Amino acid sequence: MNMRNQWPVLPIVAGLASGLLTGCGTQSGGSGGDAPSVVLGTSDDVLATDPASGYDPGSWLLFNNVFQSLLSFPKGGTEPEPDAAKECSFTDALTQVYTCTLKDGLKFSNGDALTSEDVKFSFDRMLKINNDAGPAIMFPMLDKVETPDAKTVVFNLKVADATFPSKIASGAGSIVDHKEYDADALREDGGAVGSGPYKLDSFGDDEAVFSVNENYRGTAGDAQNTGVTLKFFSGDQKGLKQALLDGDVDIAYRGLTAADISDIQQSTDNAGAEVVEGSSAEVQHLVFNMADPVAGKLGVRQAIAHLIDREALIKDVYQGTADPLYSIVPAGITGHNTAFFDRYGARPSQAKAAAALADEGITGKVKLTLWSTPSRYGPATDQELTAIAAQLNASGLFDADVKSVAYDRYEKDIAAGKYGVYVKGWVPDYPDADNFTSPFFGKGNVLGNNYTNNAITGTLVPRTAAQSDRTATSTDFAEIQDLVAEQLPVLPIWQAKQYAVVGENVYGLENCLDASTVFRFWELSKG
């Protein structure tokens, strides 16, 4: 994929209660006693149970509950705090040596002790396997991992990276038992052994079953349930909605359409279901292949930027379940600006679009195909691309159509350079502007659009990465966003709002759904 550019985004059932809660749990573990188990329904697939491979929302949902990382994001927080580690810090002036000390008494769910050897093994293994659908791409800066003793881990970085703590706090930092995993091959039995709050009891085509890990020692606190069953609906949004309304699932998580959400909100027949709404850092862009004979022309890209009506798309296609996005760094993330609004405005301008094409020497209609994939970036993606094509054609300047293909072909064709304009969604691995910039530019970028900018990749991104005070990066991130708005390798379209739909007497979602994108099983309970 690489990175999580293949996460499906809005409008998908996830959520953030209004207002973020602060603080984290106490160091403990254990079950919820006689508390009932909870059933979650999702239309996402879990593509991997091995953290050296999975880099999709379903897989990270599993990783964040079955595996433990040295650090984790507390509920409502975006700054990582110790989890398996007792403490972590940069131990040099250049932010290139990061040292962690493990807590006492850490054990995996099978009873094996968790030591620094397991941490080193987990990172070495991930990088060695370097799976195309895995998170190794997040760690090009990691030189080597050392273990001076059983409780100390030292990460030596090739270059300064102040975001390294956030990266290892994500699902990419999952620690596996070195006795249970092959050092140079993926685990293929569908099993998983971690030290997180839950253990994976079974994993099949229709569901995954989790129970509380009594050996867990971390910051999650006591589980508020005795277990969680994750039911897979594999793209069947109607089936997921009906299962929620019938009481077969307690929570519909990731997968309902905007129409489903609106129907549940407005219908008096759905009195037992509640829609929880919040903000999100999930985004969607149109991507331009800079080597394409049509989309590679700046005037064509500028004309499209002058004609897109984001407000109409959000109203007509997404029924208000998103916000217009005018930069590559979304609102709510430190460093965000409105570069595309400032340059192209919010309202379509046929005159400015025509002028951009004229400056390019283009006089006739521009023939263009917009490429889509039906569900990977949300269930309304094809509808959205069709609406965008209609907006372009209404100007009289374009002859645009839409073609939609299955995701596996879609990714292969993008890699082969076959598409001029296509759609990509992005859910951050960690809540920092770095994650909306550094993966997108330079050789091998996750967009696959042949765009490079030496000022961005050679100066601005490295400078922001070295800055430990993240608020001090705003000027450099603003420059990156302004350059992207000027050169138009991508065109931001929308930023998601997030939603969860829950059945009657289900609690704890306000602690599960926040900007960290970590869904915390242990916070869920049923009355």
Side-chain angles (χ1 to χ4, degrees):
M1 33 198 224
N2 288 315
M3 303 292 290
R4 289 157 87 183
N5 60 322
Q6 67 170 354
W7 277 46
V9 284
L10 177 111
I12 287 177
V13 180
L16 167 63
S18 299
L20 296 179
L21 304 180
T22 58
C24 60
T26 57
Q27 179 177 339
S28 60
S31 72
D34 296 328
S37 62
V38 176
V39 180
L40 272 74
T42 178
S43 65
D44 281 351
D45 293 322
V46 174
L47 300 182
T49 60
D50 188 329
S53 175
Y55 213 177
D56 58 278
S59 298
W60 279 39
L61 175 68
L62 185 152
F63 299 162
N64 287 326
N65 289 283
V66 171
F67 297 97
Q68 198 173 12
S69 298
L70 291 167
L71 306 171
S72 63
F73 293 103
K75 56 188 178 186
T78 56
E79 291 295 324
E81 296 182 353
D83 193 350
K86 181 169 64 176
E87 59 184 3
C88 290
S89 65
F90 282 103
T91 51
D92 71 324
L94 300 177
T95 61
Q96 287 185 231
V97 180
Y98 195 69
T99 303
C100 293
T101 304
L102 297 178
K103 289 174 178 168
D104 295 328
L106 294 175
K107 291 182 180 180
F108 290 100
S109 59
N110 63 2
D112 289 347
L114 190 163
T115 71
S116 61
E117 179 183 3
D118 297 293
V119 179
K120 175 178 169 57
F121 175 84
S122 300
F123 281 90
D124 289 350
R125 174 177 182 268
M126 172 183 60
L127 295 175
K128 183 177 182 180
I129 293 174
N130 194 25
N131 185 260
D132 287 343
I137 193 173
M138 287 179 63
F139 297 100
M141 82 301 293
L142 183 53
D143 184 18
K144 62 181 177 179
V145 184
E146 297 176 311
T147 54
D149 57 57
K151 293 180 62 177
T152 305
V153 184
V154 180
F155 297 93
N156 295 279
L157 310 185
K158 300 173 186 175
V159 295
D161 186 359
T163 69
F164 187 75
S166 292
K167 291 170 181 172
I168 66 172
S170 73
S174 298
I175 303 168
V176 302
D177 184 346
H178 77 277
K179 297 178 182 178
E180 293 277 350
Y181 290 80
D182 193 312
D184 52 16
L186 294 175
R187 183 168 182 158
E188 297 180 353
D189 64 354
V193 178
S195 59
Y198 286 76
K199 55 184 178 180
L200 180 64
D201 295 330
S202 64
F203 181 84
D205 293 337
D206 299 324
E207 68 179 26
V209 179
F210 305 82
S211 61
V212 175
N213 175 19
E214 299 291 346
N215 289 329
Y216 172 69
R217 295 295 178 267
T219 54
D222 289 337
Q224 301 303 302
N225 54 69
T226 52
V228 172
T229 298
L230 183 63
K231 289 188 174 291
F232 304 126
F233 288 80
S234 300
D236 181 9
Q237 288 90 12
K238 291 183 180 179
L240 175 58
K241 176 186 176 184
Q242 195 59 49
L244 177 80
L245 298 179
D246 290 345
D248 294 332
V249 301
D250 300 309
I251 303 169
Y253 179 66
R254 301 189 66 86
L256 296 188
T257 66
D260 290 332
I261 294 167
S262 177
D263 177 65
I264 291 172
Q265 284 177 318
Q266 298 175 19
S267 176
T268 56
D269 295 332
N270 302 326
E274 178 184 357
V275 177
V276 181
E277 177 183 338
S279 60
S280 169
E282 302 181 13
V283 299
Q284 192 190 82
H285 303 318
L286 278 185
V287 182
F288 301 110
N289 180 358
M290 304 295 275
D292 185 77
V294 178
K297 296 182 178 183
L298 178 60
V300 171
R301 302 195 301 275
Q302 289 174 332
I304 295 172
H306 281 302
L307 293 173
I308 294 290
D309 189 339
R310 295 170 177 81
E311 295 282 0
L313 290 173
I314 288 167
K315 176 178 179 291
D316 297 339
V317 177
Y318 290 108
Q319 301 184 35
T321 58
D323 289 314
L325 181 61
Y326 294 100
S327 195
I328 53 172
V329 177
I333 300 294
T334 299
H336 163 78
N337 74 1
T338 54
F340 283 78
F341 179 91
D342 299 340
R343 184 171 285 269
Y344 304 104
R347 306 302 303 168
S349 173
Q350 194 270 356
K352 290 180 180 178
L357 293 175
D359 289 344
E360 194 71 60
I362 298 172
T363 55
K365 286 187 178 181
V366 178
K367 187 167 179 59
L368 192 69
T369 294
L370 308 179
W371 288 90
S372 179
T373 189
S375 62
R376 198 60 178 174
Y377 303 121
T381 307
D382 286 354
Q383 184 185 353
E384 176 194 349
L385 270 288
T386 300
I388 290 174
Q391 291 179 357
L392 298 179
N393 293 341
S395 71
L397 302 173
F398 283 85
D399 178 11
D401 66 351
V402 177
K403 292 183 180 178
S404 181
V405 299
Y407 184 72
D408 56 351
R409 177 188 160 190
Y410 187 75
E411 283 292 282
K412 291 176 183 176
D413 285 351
I414 289 172
K418 294 183 179 181
Y419 302 158
V421 186
Y422 48 96
V423 64
K424 284 280 190 177
W426 186 262
V427 176
D429 304 296
Y430 49 94
D432 189 285
D434 176 81
N435 198 231
F436 296 91
T437 51
S438 59
F440 288 3
F441 312 118
K443 185 178 180 180
N445 73 71
V446 298
L447 301 176
N449 67 337
N450 300 294
Y451 175 69
T452 59
N453 182 298
N454 291 334
I456 293 176
T457 57
T459 302
L460 295 171
V461 166
R463 194 158 66 201
T464 59
Q467 178 56 256
S468 57
D469 179 3
R470 302 312 289 162
T471 61
T473 62
S474 293
T475 299
D476 283 338
F477 279 124
E479 186 174 349
I480 293 173
Q481 291 165 92
D482 292 344
L483 283 170
V484 173
E486 177 185 352
Q487 297 179 350
L488 273 172
V490 300
L491 182 65
I493 303 297
W494 51 249
Q495 176 175 348
K497 297 176 183 177
Q498 295 196 77
Y499 296 86
V501 183
V502 299
E504 200 168 8
N505 298 322
V506 178
Y507 307 101
L509 280 169
E510 70 278 7
N511 297 326
C512 297
L513 304 156
D514 56 37
S516 71
T517 72
V518 176
F519 190 94
R520 303 169 177 87
F521 283 178
W522 57 91
E523 296 286 354
L524 301 174
S525 66
K526 286 175 66 175

